[in-house]
């Protein structure tokens, strides 16, 4: 465990060094104030901390709330659709029509219905995460070998036991993959929503700095939003490691 943590820390340090070096070289090559180097941008995080930290917390709340609501609704729906052919026959056509729809186009509708506060941003993220997680969980459940289900039933397990000991564990790796992917999508949607419909959050902070031609300040906001995405990704990664320890022991439910 300790060795894995050390390897990960070294990997992150190397990645950060590579990104910063590339950023600095690109900034010098471009030679334009719109692209300041990291040594100009990072100090701005301290200079504007009093504005940046509340914006970070606001954005963190919105993205976490939206992802929680979307995933909490999608997981049981995906489990049921994946196991029940009748339920899937009803909802699959609806899913096929609505999943490809870019949910971001609904932002004007959500703003009109919910105002300019947190609600439309959270709803937009929840809608997007709902469909991404639902499709993934449904597919993962459908791929569970039927013999695993039969084995559980032959041991006297009921429907709840089948879900608890077979379906859910087999679906967890795919679920966390979907959540990690959705976290990046959620942060991107959050930036779009905050920059167009609101006056708080990191998205507004970035666009407001851009409008004022305060490019180092703008990049401080960009760095903060990148950190937001990294935090979410790492949280899901840690949760997966904690909840799928059987994978590291070489035990598979598939």
């Amino acid at each position: 465990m300790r060795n894995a943590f050390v390897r990960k820390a070294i990997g992150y340090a190397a990645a950060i060094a590579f990104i910063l070096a590339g950023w600095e070289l690109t900034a010098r090559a471009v030679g334009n104030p719109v692209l300041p180097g990291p040594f100009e941008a990072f100090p701005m995080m301290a200079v504007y901390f009093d504005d940046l930290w509340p914006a970070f917390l606001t954005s963190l709340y919105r993205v976490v709330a939206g992802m929680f609501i979307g995933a909490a609704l999608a997981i049981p729906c995906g489990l049921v659709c994946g196991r029940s052919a009748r339920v899937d026959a009803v909802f699959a056509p609806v899913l096929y029509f609505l999943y490809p729809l870019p949910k971001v186009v609904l932002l004007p509708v959500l703003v009109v219905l919910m105002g300019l506060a947190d609600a439309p941003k959270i709803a937009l993220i929840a809608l997007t995460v709902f469909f991404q997680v639902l499709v993934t969980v449904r597919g993962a459940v459908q791929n569970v070998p039927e013999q695993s289900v039969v084995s559980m039933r032959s041991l006297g397990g009921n429907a709840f036991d089948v879900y608890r000991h077979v379906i859910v564990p087999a679906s967890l790796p795919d679920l966390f993959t979907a959540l990690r992917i959705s976290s990046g999508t959620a942060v991107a949607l959050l930036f779009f929503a905050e920059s167009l419909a609101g006056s708080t959050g990191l998205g507004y902070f970035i666009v407001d700095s851009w409008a004022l031609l305060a490019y180092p300040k703008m990049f401080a906001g960009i760095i903060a939003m990148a950190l937001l995405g990294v935090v979410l990704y790492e949280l899901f990664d840690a949760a997966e490691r904690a909840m799928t320890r059987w994978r590291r022991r070489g035990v598979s439910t598939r």
Side-chain angles (χ1 to χ4, degrees), residues 93-211:
V94 178
L95 184 62
Y96 295 153
F97 275 109
L98 294 182
Y99 177 70
L101 173 69
K103 312 306 179 294
V104 70
V105 301
L106 300 176
L107 180 60
V109 179
L110 295 174
V111 168
V112 171
L113 294 176
M114 301 178 177
L116 294 173
D118 295 335
K121 288 89 169 175
I122 293 173
L124 179 64
I125 293 172
L127 278 171
T128 303
V129 171
F130 173 82
F131 283 99
Q132 289 183 341
V133 172
L134 172 58
V135 169
T136 302
V137 172
R138 172 178 170 267
V141 172
Q142 291 175 338
N143 289 330
V144 174
E146 191 61 30
Q147 57 265 33
S148 299
V149 177
V150 174
S151 298
M152 176 55 63
R153 287 176 175 166
S154 67
L155 295 173
N158 54 28
F160 177 77
D161 293 324
V162 170
Y163 275 100
R164 179 184 177 186
H165 297 292
V166 179
I167 303 300
V168 172
S171 305
L172 281 177
D174 291 320
L175 168 62
F176 280 108
T177 297
L179 288 174
R180 284 194 294 268
I181 294 172
S182 297
S183 66
T185 304
V187 172
L189 287 172
L190 181 68
F191 168 75
F192 185 83
E194 288 180 340
S195 62
L196 292 183
S199 58
T200 57
L202 290 173
Y204 176 79
F205 182 93
I206 293 169
V207 172
D208 183 60
S209 302
W210 169 70

Side-chain angles (χ1 to χ4, degrees), residues 5-21:
F5 176 80
V6 171
R7 286 196 301 270
K8 193 163 208 177
I10 293 173
Y12 263 115
I16 291 172
F18 178 80
I19 292 171
L20 291 180

Side-chain angles (χ1 to χ4, degrees), residues 1 8 169-181 232-248 254:
M1 182 70 178
K8 193 163 208 177
S171 305
L172 281 177
D174 291 320
L175 168 62
F176 280 108
T177 297
L179 288 174
R180 284 194 294 268
I181 294 172
L232 291 173
Y233 191 95
E234 283 299 318
L235 286 176
F236 288 128
D237 197 48
E240 180 179 12
R241 289 197 303 270
M243 298 178 68
T244 60
R245 294 176 181 173
W246 48 266
R247 299 183 76 189
R248 296 196 297 276
R254 296 192 179 185

